[in-house]
Amino acid sequence: AGPAPGTVAPDGLGLAEADARRRLAGLGYPTLVLRLPESDPADAASRPGAVWSQRPPAGSPVGDRVTLWVNP
């Protein structure tokens, strides 16, 4: 299983964690979620549960998984 060859990562930035995971799972991407706050405390506090970074970035080929950084 997994994504079709040649597919690229969708943009998960700004999505709620559950929405980003659902989108990635629907495309066959294994996902690792790291619950760490953004470096700016005000930004982290204003976007709880939101994806603020991902690797690989949107539009890039995916290796073995997509990693999402999510505000706690």
Side-chain angles (χ1 to χ4, degrees), residues 3 7 16 21 24-26 28 33 35 46-47 53 55 71:
T7 57
R21 289 176 65 115
L24 291 164
V33 175
R35 288 180 186 85
S46 70
R47 294 187 285 259
S53 185
R55 293 290 177 267
N71 283 317

Side-chain angles (χ1 to χ4, degrees), residues 4-67:
T7 57
V8 296
D11 189 2
L13 298 181
L15 295 177
E17 176 187 345
D19 294 336
R21 289 176 65 115
R22 203 170 11 260
R23 178 182 286 181
L24 291 164
L27 295 170
Y29 294 121
T31 305
L32 172 66
V33 175
L34 301 175
R35 288 180 186 85
L36 298 168
E38 294 177 71
S39 59
D40 183 323
D43 287 344
S46 70
R47 294 187 285 259
V51 175
W52 58 271
S53 185
Q54 77 174 46
R55 293 290 177 267
S60 298
V62 176
D64 59 344
R65 71 175 172 234
V66 176
T67 302

